[in-house]
Amino acid sequence: MAVEARATEETGIAKGDLLSLYYYLLLTRGVEARIRKLYLQGKVVGGVYGGYGQEAIGVGSAYALRDGDTVSPIHRDMGVQLVRGMSGRRVMAHWMARESGPTRGRDEDMHIGDLSLGIFSPISMLGSSIPVAAGAALTFKQRGQDNVAMAYIGDGATNTGDFHEGLNFAATLRLPLVLIVENNQYAYSTPLAKQFAITHIVDRADAYGIPGLRIDGNDVVAVYKTAKNAVADARRGHGPTLIECVTMRMRGHSEHDAASYVPKEMLEEWARRDPIQRLEDWMTTHDMASQEDLAAARARVDREIDEAVQWADSQPFPNADEVATGVYATEV
Ligand SMILES: Cc1ncc(C[n+]2csc(CCOP(=O)(O)OP(=O)(O)O)c2C)c(N)n1
């Protein structure tokens, strides 16, 4: 206990929170792995985009939020969805195109959200979620609520006009927006050096007159603590913060992409910094978790994913007569 208390003091995180972060990291990786398997089995159609290796960013940052806050995740943010309350069952129903999924079987990819959980669904147009998140933050401010809008964006999408307009708007009005930039080194096949002339993405924060922080995106504790501080600042009316989380896209852009343009050595180097392994090592060396604790979390995750897939598979597909109901572009 004394050791645990010392470790808590050292890190500023309680054992329960560390175990929760560990659980969500495992769940995120496990859910995505199962979706990939179902895709290879032909049970999931469409593109499969994942965040293998960068799970600490979504999990650690979303864990810093509370009820009433909103998130605007991107296509690699399964962890954000799960931490904010999207159930494994609904995720699986979505990927298996069932009526009980969040888009009622109408859409695919990571286009899922639920406004009742404060999750804005990602759409394909990169960058457009930033003005939407700024709008949510403006609503909080106008209503006098101390809630926060957290937005996510990839390195590539920081180059869009929408990103600039949304962030400039939020900065100028000092809105409660926390922007998490997921720098995973590539925008599809385009490396950072071919995307912009600045040294680091965090340098953009200066241009908007807001604080910017650059952190290790594979360290879930660092992500959580940094996000928590930025969220607290935003709640106090101090305006937006940009947090650049440095990580690596460990698989192709999506499952159809072999990513032969990524140097093998780069992947090998980043594999040694795997966020789940790092948290396991850290917790065990600081006596914050036993091998039994870790095994119990793994068993729980396996059980929950099996159950979610079974449930989703028992759900009906949408009724073909209503397939155009509830979608924006319908045949007239
Ligand atoms: C405005 C816009 N331009 C181009 C695309 C096509 N596109 C989809 S994902 C992607 C790469 C995105 O890279 P990044 O923002 O770094 O995120 P990552 O996929 O690496 O997580 C591109 C170019 C798009 N969806 N929207």
Side-chain angles (χ1 to χ4, degrees):
M1 192 59 199
V3 177
E4 194 183 307
R6 205 167 47 245
T8 301
E9 203 178 313
E10 213 178 281
T11 57
I13 298 194
K15 177 177 176 178
D17 286 327
L18 281 170
L19 283 174
S20 279
L21 290 168
Y22 181 62
Y23 161 77
Y24 280 117
L25 287 178
L26 288 181
L27 186 66
T28 303
R29 185 166 291 182
V31 162
E32 289 193 336
R34 189 62 71 88
I35 290 168
R36 272 202 304 279
K37 200 164 168 187
L38 292 166
Y39 172 71
L40 294 174
Q41 291 170 343
K43 292 182 182 166
V44 158
V45 292
V48 171
Y49 300 78
Y52 182 96
Q54 53 187 87
E55 298 92 342
I57 300 174
V59 168
S61 56
Y63 198 77
L65 296 171
R66 66 164 202 230
D67 280 357
D69 296 336
T70 61
V71 287
S72 305
I74 60 167
H75 47 290
R76 309 214 182 273
D77 290 331
M78 182 66 78
V80 176
Q81 302 270 356
L82 295 168
V83 170
R84 296 306 292 157
M86 183 67 75
S87 70
R89 283 183 169 196
R90 293 177 78 205
V91 168
M92 289 303 175
H94 170 73
W95 285 97
M96 294 165 89
R98 308 306 162 108
E99 179 72 32
S100 25
T103 69
R104 299 174 49 234
R106 265 58 169 184
D107 204 336
E108 42 98 53
D109 293 355
M110 273 298 279
H111 297 162
I112 51 174
D114 183 339
L115 289 180
S116 72
L117 297 170
I119 306 173
F120 287 103
S121 176
I123 57 167
S124 289
M125 295 74 180
L126 300 173
S128 60
S129 62
I130 305 304
V132 174
L138 177 64
T139 306
F140 293 144
K141 186 169 177 165
Q142 286 186 334
R143 288 184 181 163
Q145 286 170 236
D146 67 345
N147 285 110
V148 171
M150 190 171 269
Y152 295 81
I153 196 143
D155 42 272
T158 64
N159 304 308
T160 60
D162 281 347
F163 170 85
H164 167 73
E165 291 180 30
L167 192 52
N168 188 58
F169 181 78
T172 307
L173 297 187
R174 299 179 82 76
L175 301 180
L177 177 81
V178 175
L179 184 71
I180 308 289
V181 181
E182 305 188 45
N183 174 0
N184 65 4
Q185 317 291 329
Y186 283 85
Y188 209 135
S189 54
T190 309
L192 299 179
K194 291 191 175 165
Q195 289 185 38
F196 38 69
I198 50 175
T199 312
H200 297 305
I201 294 171
V202 69
D203 299 342
R204 294 194 193 279
D206 281 348
Y208 301 106
I210 61 171
L213 298 154
R214 187 168 194 267
I215 61 168
D216 180 347
N218 283 21
D219 177 349
V220 74
V221 175
V223 175
Y224 167 64
K225 287 170 75 174
T226 309
K228 206 170 163 212
N229 287 337
V231 165
D233 282 349
R235 278 199 215 293
R236 280 199 293 268
H238 293 183
T241 300
L242 183 157
I243 304 173
E244 177 187 354
C245 300
V246 185
T247 186
M248 176 70 200
R249 200 192 70 207
M250 297 299 289
R251 300 182 68 86
H253 175 65
S254 77
E255 287 305 304
H256 68 259
D257 171 29
S260 51
Y261 47 86
V262 176
K264 217 168 104 255
E265 306 72 50
M266 216 173 154
L267 293 170
E268 286 166 0
E269 189 199 324
W270 280 92
R272 289 192 284 277
R273 302 189 211 168
D274 180 76
I276 296 184
Q277 187 63 53
R278 276 176 66 180
L279 183 60
E280 283 180 3
D281 292 347
W282 193 91
M283 286 198 298
T284 45
T285 51
H286 285 76
D287 283 326
M288 292 290 267
S290 62
Q291 289 303 332
E292 289 72 41
D293 289 330
L294 303 185
R298 281 188 219 110
R300 176 183 168 198
V301 164
D302 287 347
R303 209 171 44 241
E304 287 179 0
I305 295 174
D306 284 345
E307 193 278 331
V309 174
Q310 263 174 30
W311 179 85
D313 211 14
S314 72
Q315 297 300 299
F317 284 103
N319 180 342
D321 298 337
E322 293 171 16
V323 81
T325 310
V327 296
Y328 287 110
T330 57
E331 210 177 311
V332 282

